[in-house]
Amino acid sequence: QQSDYLKAVASQPPSKGKVRAVDHTSGYIFKPLDDAARSGPTVRGTWKVHYILLSEAGGGVPHWAAEKGVIKAIIDWYTAAHREWVRRETTKSAC
């Protein structure tokens, strides 16, 4: 079920210079790499994260360009997620 917000966004044309992509399947596999990670969610450890994505770029984007764009988008997402995690940890420590 798609939310009303997503329906509204999807009904609008893409921003200038952008195309839409269809995400057919995506997900994560988290593999613990040390005893701390294997011991449970309350202890920090080292993890290997695999991101799986099957998508289709719209707008006639060449395959090679779509692959480069996806790689950059994934790196940008993980960078932003890490920044947010650090921000939250810093905020928790300050309290």
Side-chain angles (χ1 to χ4, degrees):
Q1 278 287 355
Q2 198 176 45
S3 72
D4 290 338
Y5 174 76
L6 287 177
K7 286 179 189 174
V9 169
S11 70
Q12 300 298 312
S15 302
K16 186 178 179 179
K18 307 283 184 185
V19 296
R20 288 225 168 87
V22 176
D23 182 358
H24 296 288
T25 302
S26 62
Y28 298 90
I29 297 172
F30 296 91
K31 180 180 177 186
L33 296 179
D34 59 18
D35 289 337
R38 288 184 202 93
S39 68
T42 59
V43 180
R44 289 178 42 186
T46 304
W47 295 79
K48 184 171 192 171
V49 179
H50 298 271
Y51 179 63
I52 296 127
L53 172 67
L54 173 59
S55 66
E56 181 180 348
V61 175
H63 182 74
W64 64 268
E67 283 186 356
K68 284 189 175 224
V70 166
I71 291 168
K72 182 182 180 325
I74 292 169
I75 292 168
D76 290 350
W77 187 91
Y78 275 104
T79 301
H82 181 260
R83 282 189 192 127
E84 178 62 12
W85 180 82
V86 168
R87 185 191 68 77
R88 288 180 184 208
E89 287 296 307
T90 303
T91 302
K92 259 197 309 192
S93 297
C95 293

